[in-house]
Amino acid sequence: MSAFHQLIPAPWSFSAGTGELELDAGTSVGADPELRGPRRWLTRALGGATGWDLAPAPAREAGIRLLLDPSLDAEAYRLEVSDAVVISAGGAAGAFYGAQTLLQLLGPAALRQAPVVAVEGWSVPRVSVEDKPRFGYRGTMLDVARHFMPKDNVLRFIEVMAMHKLNVLHLHLTDDQGWRMQINRYPKLTETGAWRRESSLGSWRAGVFDGRPHGGFYTQDDLREIVAFAADRHITVIPEIDVPGHSQAAIAAYPELGAGPADGSSPVEVWTRWGINETVLEVSETSLEFYRNVLDEVVEIFPSPWISLGGDEVPLTQWQASAQAQAKAAELGLDDVSGLHSWFVGQLALHLKHHGRATSVWDEIGDGGLPDGALVASWRGYEGGIDALRKGYDVVMCPEHKLYLDHRQADGDDEPVPVGFVTTLQAVYEFEPLPGVEGTDFPGRLLGAQANIWSEHLDSPRRVQFAAFPRLSAISEVFWSNPAGRDYDEFLTRLTGAHLARLEAMGVEYRPLSGPAPWQQRPGVEGWKRDYDAEQLVRN
Ligand code: ACM
């Protein structure tokens, strides 16, 4: 076994003892009262894989003990395997991460949902682990708007995220091509906005459509279930309601929201192609009031401290032609309509503030002024994030040329619908959030980083798994582990030695390191390969 007993993400400190501790059907699990949540999760997960009942016992007498140690940070834990398994943690999150490490030490079969072999006992190597996260925000964004991901698959994705100690799921719920969240006050958002007639097949530039309706949405109870399931795994779900661009699905449902010709001569349908769209929301009290009402329902379901208002990619064409937008810009004393973009987002951010929530935005908003207390997701490279740090804002780094997992994983024609920059496993493993300015004492805080999984070209959960793994396994190590110990070759020995088998045990259809399997290829579906050019950062 290689260093760290094949753990991914690698722990900060690890020492191997001698021999193994046998667990068996009589093993009990005990926890201090504050750690009952992780005990319940561990009992279910390990009980599923082993088929054992794992009875409760007093915390200090059990075979597996979850103990509160207030000297540790909330997300930190110590795992000692000697004559018992002892997980000491600063809080429930730390105990949960200790439990995840224990499952990894038990071998890939411990990640299955039912026993596959009739074993008398399972053994854990005697080890001592001390561990904590490098960043507090370890995110993944899932675009469930371009292609809907059924709820079951979202839950499973969360389970796999949790195995990697990731703790933020940013759900991109609305876009031009679909609105995925039930809103009671505005039923047409899902009746009309949750499906489209057909979709671009591959890159929109090829001009090919599939002729097949696509749709789906989450009921509010589905979303409550997703939020609670994630919370049990110490994952915060940040919902994104993208404004004022990326809103054609909402405008198709409620045309009065749009900034198109005021005489209604150009009604829009839910958009069927990918790319940047000139259809945007009108800067009117009608649309602001509508979105305030939408957000009232959003905050009721998502307890996240941040709600994302998107704010990316807003062409000005319609506002330049709109008397209403021109008048609003004049009233606000703006030089031109370009300032309406951040003003509009700022108005809704104020509404969120009344609800006690901060706003997360893509970094474009920084061009025109950020809402108070905003969290900036820096996707157009690093600069927007660094600029926001200089101005004192919280930042999450997710630069497109580094952390966009819809981008192709190798430079070959076998990659399915190859789009974007080549973003290899090694390249994501070597990601650093602040290259060249590490150690700078910014007034703002770098909370962490996020991998973004856009789904224009990922038309099924299988395709999402192919795009996400094993790159997300590598990324989890960047977000969690000590960067001083990072070594790609050593990571590969752990990945191939045990971690791919863990993914297989969880049913994840990852991209084999040697390239896509024949059924993972999409011959004949055109992508759009790009070479990285910092001057030309345009998606799709
Ligand atoms: C983005 O990629 N448009 C945030």
Side-chain angles (χ1 to χ4, degrees):
M1 220 175 250
S2 78
F4 310 133
H5 275 281
Q6 323 271 24
L7 296 171
I8 288 180
W12 280 65
S13 154
F14 179 93
S15 59
T18 41
E20 299 184 325
L21 171 70
E22 291 290 319
L23 304 183
D24 59 34
T27 298
S28 55
V29 186
D32 281 335
E34 297 83 352
L35 308 182
R36 279 194 192 125
R39 186 196 69 192
R40 191 180 66 229
W41 181 85
L42 178 62
T43 303
R44 280 200 199 142
L46 191 54
T50 59
W52 300 336
D53 282 340
L54 297 166
R60 278 162 178 75
E61 294 164 23
I64 301 175
R65 303 172 191 169
L66 307 186
L67 307 178
L68 191 68
D69 178 347
S71 74
L72 295 173
D73 289 343
E75 289 194 296
Y77 71 92
R78 238 180 2 254
L79 168 65
E80 305 277 350
V81 183
S82 52
D83 294 334
V85 175
V86 181
I87 297 169
S88 311
F96 178 73
Y97 298 133
Q100 288 286 358
T101 299
L102 172 62
L103 283 198
Q104 288 203 4
L105 289 171
L106 280 162
L111 294 161
R112 292 185 184 268
Q113 300 184 68
V116 292
V117 278
V119 282
E120 294 291 309
W122 292 60
S123 51
V124 203
R126 288 207 165 82
V127 295
S128 175
V129 174
E130 283 187 49
D131 209 7
K132 62 179 182 183
R134 178 183 180 197
F135 294 117
Y137 184 120
R138 304 178 296 282
T140 305
M141 188 220 69
L142 265 188
D143 170 8
V144 293
R146 269 51 174 271
H147 282 102
F148 178 66
M149 183 183 276
K151 183 196 75 184
D152 263 1
N153 300 97
V154 176
L155 298 178
R156 196 65 186 149
F157 192 86
I158 288 170
E159 196 76 89
V160 183
M161 279 180 69
M163 195 263 279
H164 290 92
K165 302 183 171 82
L166 297 166
N167 71 345
V168 176
L169 174 63
H170 170 160
L171 266 190
H172 183 76
L173 286 166
T174 70
D175 214 303
D176 296 310
Q177 298 86 357
W179 182 286
R180 307 289 172 217
M181 175 179 175
Q182 176 189 27
I183 298 292
N184 293 327
R185 187 170 178 135
Y186 301 119
K188 286 194 285 185
L189 282 173
T190 44
E191 285 164 17
T192 302
W195 69 280
R196 58 181 179 263
R197 248 183 332 108
E198 61 178 358
S199 311
S200 294
L201 184 61
S203 171
W204 66 269
R205 289 177 161 75
V208 181
F209 289 84
D210 66 0
R212 178 181 178 188
H214 178 86
F217 68 94
Y218 309 108
T219 66
Q220 295 201 350
D221 276 350
D222 289 339
L223 292 167
R224 287 190 181 96
E225 181 184 358
I226 288 170
V227 166
F229 186 90
D232 244 5
R233 288 150 185 80
H234 295 275
I235 292 175
T236 299
V237 183
I238 301 181
E240 179 180 351
I241 304 294
D242 202 350
V243 295
H246 291 281
S247 299
Q248 185 162 321
I251 297 166
Y254 293 93
E256 63 271 26
L257 300 175
D263 61 4
S265 59
S266 310
V268 292
E269 62 174 347
V270 178
W271 216 27
T272 57
R273 58 156 267 217
W274 322 130
I276 295 176
N277 188 355
E278 292 190 348
T279 301
V280 298
L281 296 174
E282 185 55 281
V283 184
S284 64
E285 189 48 35
T286 305
S287 28
L288 284 170
E289 195 51 30
F290 182 96
Y291 276 89
R292 287 187 197 110
N293 292 331
V294 166
L295 291 173
D296 288 346
E297 295 191 30
V298 170
V299 296
E300 213 229 300
I301 287 164
F302 294 93
S304 164
W306 305 280
I307 306 292
S308 174
L309 295 175
D312 55 327
E313 297 174 325
V314 184
L316 299 178
T317 335
Q318 286 196 336
W319 289 344
Q320 278 156 349
S322 154
Q324 216 178 142
Q326 300 277 359
K328 190 73 201 175
E331 179 196 322
L332 294 169
L334 301 170
D335 292 340
D336 57 52
V337 292
S338 66
L340 293 172
H341 178 179
S342 59
W343 181 83
F344 186 90
V345 171
Q347 291 301 295
L348 296 178
L350 273 179
H351 190 67
L352 289 173
K353 196 173 169 192
H354 293 318
H355 280 293
R357 309 301 181 89
T359 298
S360 160
V361 284
W362 300 112
D363 64 83
E364 276 96 324
I365 293 299
D367 299 350
L370 286 160
D372 273 357
L375 170 62
V376 177
S378 187
W379 76 276
R380 299 176 304 171
Y382 298 97
E383 271 315 306
I386 292 172
D387 191 46
L389 285 173
R390 288 202 179 100
K391 292 179 178 148
Y393 290 92
D394 287 346
V395 168
V396 167
M397 281 293 182
C398 49
E400 177 182 21
H401 61 300
K402 297 287 182 183
L403 290 183
Y404 270 34
L405 299 187
D406 51 324
H407 287 224
R408 56 207 169 112
Q409 307 194 46
D411 189 18
D413 290 327
D414 289 346
E415 297 305 312
V417 200
V419 297
F421 315 125
V422 175
T423 304
T424 63
L425 182 64
Q426 179 160 4
V428 298
Y429 190 72
E430 289 166 0
F431 171 76
E432 268 301 301
L434 292 175
V437 289
E438 294 96 341
T440 307
D441 194 12
F442 293 110
R445 295 182 299 179
L446 177 74
L447 301 190
Q450 175 168 294
N452 290 342
I453 306 175
W454 298 100
S455 68
E456 292 94 329
H457 308 106
L458 309 178
D459 60 2
S460 71
R462 299 181 79 176
R463 287 281 289 118
V464 171
Q465 291 179 5
F466 176 93
F469 297 102
R471 287 187 294 187
L472 204 47
S473 308
I475 289 168
S476 77
E477 189 146 313
V478 177
F479 293 179
W480 178 278
S481 306
N482 184 350
R486 218 180 313 164
D487 173 337
Y488 182 65
D489 289 334
E490 192 275 334
F491 165 76
L492 278 183
T493 64
R494 282 178 283 126
L495 184 72
T496 54
H499 200 74
L500 293 179
R502 290 184 192 117
L503 294 176
E504 284 161 24
M506 295 188 86
V508 176
E509 297 188 58
Y510 59 83
R511 179 188 182 278
L513 300 189
S514 56
W519 61 88
Q520 293 174 319
Q521 299 172 20
R522 291 295 299 274
V525 181
E526 249 185 68
W528 186 51
K529 295 180 181 175
R530 286 186 284 161
D531 292 321
Y532 177 63
D533 172 358
E535 303 301 312
Q536 256 293 324
L537 277 181
V538 177
R539 278 195 356 101
N540 300 311

